[in-house]
Amino acid sequence: VRFYAVFGSKDLKIDGVKDVIAVASGKGGVGKSTTAVNLAVALANKCQLKVGLLDADVYGPSVPIMMNIHQKPEVTEDMKMVPIENHGVKCMSMGFLVPENSPIVWRAPMVMSALRKMSKDVDWGNLDILVIDMPPGTGDAQLTTTQTLQLSGAVIVSTPQDVALIDARRGIAMFSKVSVPILGLIENMSCFVCPHCSEPSFIFGKGGTRRTATEMGLKVIGEIPLEMDIRKGSDDGVPVVISAPDSIVSKAYSEVAVNV
Ligand code: ADP
């Protein structure tokens, strides 16, 4: 209790940033980072907003590869790191600061200190929205992150699979505990549309995210199919919203951006 009192919720207002939105998931591998990156790029390029992206997934940073940023940030005279911009989004990630293949083995207080630096000690300039790619799960690091970065809201990413939805509920409960509004659920990998016969296959199940949302009084703000262009865009460092702007999936991400 004392720990949270010391790092209380009001001390991490980020200068110049209007709204901070977390993209979270109950478990890893469901497409949280992919969603955070495409949402940030869509907010910047389709909604014409000033957008930042903070990769708070300190144990497994994905933003350097997904946004094709491989240099270290410069530091201003007043010791603030300058976020690195690509695809119209100002980015900050632990991956910019540590060598790519060195493991990050830290306890929660070190994670908190790193997150403090990567959010507050950064020259973001004026931003309409800072999107945060949260660490997966609902452990200590996630809870303290949620409490200390004054969040305007959170979007929860899940696949339609039961095991992912159960964990998504835990994530939702965590945000409720600290009174952060849930802006909606995003169902990722909702289906796979066969490129030959156009028949959809519901590989991870069907309807689960909508059922969960209804039960919890929440909205589904996006359904993103399992799509090769999304995976390829992430691996190539050119998010699909940029590489295939007129595709169905880019339109789906733009809809999410508008809903947020
Ligand atoms: P998380 O952040 O939840 O761990 P990632 O965003 O890293 O998940 O995604 C996990 C893997 O799935 C990555 O290889 C990513 O490229 C791929 N992926 C995510 N969403 C999709 C999608 N809708 N279609 C195809 N591949 C996807």
Side-chain angles (χ1 to χ4, degrees):
V1 171
R2 228 174 268 148
F3 180 76
Y4 294 133
V6 171
F7 289 101
S9 64
K10 294 288 175 268
D11 73 336
L12 254 185
K13 174 96 184 75
I14 304 172
D15 290 340
V17 177
K18 280 192 203 145
D19 279 302
V20 183
I21 289 174
V23 178
S25 67
K27 76 201 287 301
V30 298
K32 168 186 57 61
S33 297
T34 308
T35 306
V37 163
N38 279 289
L39 171 61
V41 173
L43 285 165
N45 292 277
K46 306 269 178 176
C47 305
Q48 308 292 321
L49 296 172
K50 290 189 196 121
V51 182
L53 174 62
L54 169 60
D55 184 357
D57 194 345
V58 287
Y59 294 116
S62 305
V63 165
I65 287 181
M66 290 185 180
M67 292 295 278
N68 192 24
I69 297 174
H70 300 284
Q71 69 262 43
K72 284 196 174 11
E74 292 185 356
V75 179
T76 60
E77 271 173 16
D78 55 347
M79 298 309 285
K80 288 198 166 192
M81 287 185 286
V82 181
I84 303 172
E85 186 165 340
N86 200 8
H87 307 308
V89 176
K90 290 181 177 176
C91 303
M92 184 50 61
S93 168
M94 185 49 66
F96 301 163
L97 309 173
V98 294
E100 229 160 66
N101 43 14
S102 73
I104 298 168
V105 190
W106 286 351
R107 294 194 185 276
M110 282 180 78
V111 173
M112 267 322 297
S113 150
L115 282 172
R116 172 180 283 266
K117 283 200 170 12
M118 290 191 333
S119 50
K120 190 88 171 122
D121 296 344
V122 171
D123 185 13
W124 292 108
N126 288 325
L127 292 183
D128 295 309
I129 296 190
L130 178 64
V131 175
I132 302 196
D133 181 7
M134 292 283 288
T138 49
D140 197 18
Q142 292 80 356
L143 185 60
T144 43
T145 307
T146 306
Q147 287 195 304
T148 51
L149 295 175
Q150 290 189 348
L151 300 178
S152 313
V155 297
I156 308 289
V157 181
S158 180
T159 65
Q161 197 177 3
D162 283 347
V163 68
L165 286 164
I166 289 167
D167 287 341
R169 283 170 183 269
R170 291 201 182 100
I172 293 164
M174 179 186 78
F175 285 109
S176 304
K177 240 181 206 165
V178 289
S179 304
V180 172
I182 304 289
L183 305 174
L185 266 57
I186 296 178
E187 183 176 86
N188 190 36
M189 309 187 190
S190 55
C191 71
F192 174 72
V193 179
C194 173
H196 304 292
C197 69
S198 303
E199 178 81 16
S201 300
F202 297 89
I203 295 171
F204 296 107
K206 192 178 176 188
T209 310
R210 283 201 180 272
R211 265 196 310 280
T212 304
T214 307
E215 278 166 31
M216 303 191 83
L218 299 170
K219 283 189 295 187
V220 175
I221 56 168
E223 289 170 312
I224 313 289
L226 190 59
E227 164 73 50
M228 176 111 76
D229 282 351
I230 296 179
R231 196 276 307 148
K232 198 170 173 314
S234 293
D235 288 352
D236 293 348
V238 186
V240 70
V241 172
I242 298 281
S243 65
D246 299 324
S247 62
I248 290 173
V249 288
S250 289
K251 288 189 179 132
Y253 282 124
S254 301
E255 241 167 71
V256 172
V258 169
N259 281 328
V260 159

